[in-house]
Amino acid sequence: FAQDELDPRAPSAMTMAGPLARIGYLMLSGNTPTFSFAISFVIGTGVAGLVTALVLRDFRVIPIQKGMAKYAILGGALMGIGAIFAYGCNIGQGLSGMSTLSMESLLATLSMFAGVAIGVKWWDRQST
């Protein structure tokens, strides 16, 4: 046991933002993807969701309501930008970061909750 250095590695988080960006880059560049755990996690999440919806007979395509596409695009862009600034998406910060008691993850997670609360209140005011 004393002869083995145990190959220490830095901890890594469960995240969707980074692997999605790598998958997009691999598709655009034409490189053969190297399947890491992170990329497999993202693909597996999509496949598991599809299989579950099919098994439960709950699969349906919901069209975007008229006038809502701009909000979907804006929301996706803001989520991506936020994931870059927060060094991870909400899954990475909320699950992996909080489990290590990271102060940065606590701040990021509280900020995400506050942003959602503000957004919902704003949306409710616009709807009425």
Side-chain angles (χ1 to χ4, degrees), residues 111-127:
S111 298
M112 284 183 264
F113 275 105
V116 168
I118 291 167
V120 166
K121 287 194 181 293
W122 175 82
W123 188 269
D124 283 344
R125 275 196 211 137
Q126 298 295 322
S127 299

Side-chain angles (χ1 to χ4, degrees), residues 14-101:
M14 299 285 286
T15 181
M16 293 277 191
L20 278 172
R22 280 189 294 254
I23 290 170
Y25 172 76
L26 292 171
M27 288 171 39
L28 291 174
S29 68
N31 291 340
T32 305
T34 304
F35 281 105
S36 63
F37 173 78
I39 291 176
S40 300
F41 174 69
V42 170
I43 293 171
T45 301
V47 170
L50 176 64
V51 168
T52 302
L54 292 172
V55 166
L56 296 176
R57 296 183 181 162
D58 195 29
F59 180 81
R60 60 189 180 276
V61 177
I62 301 172
I64 297 175
Q65 296 175 0
K66 188 174 183 177
M68 297 301 290
K70 61 184 174 189
Y71 293 115
I73 292 169
L74 178 64
L78 289 173
M79 184 63 195
I81 292 167
I84 291 168
F85 281 129
Y87 296 109
C89 63
N90 54 352
I91 295 169
Q93 291 291 349
L95 294 178
S96 300
M98 292 292 289
S99 68
T100 62
L101 303 177

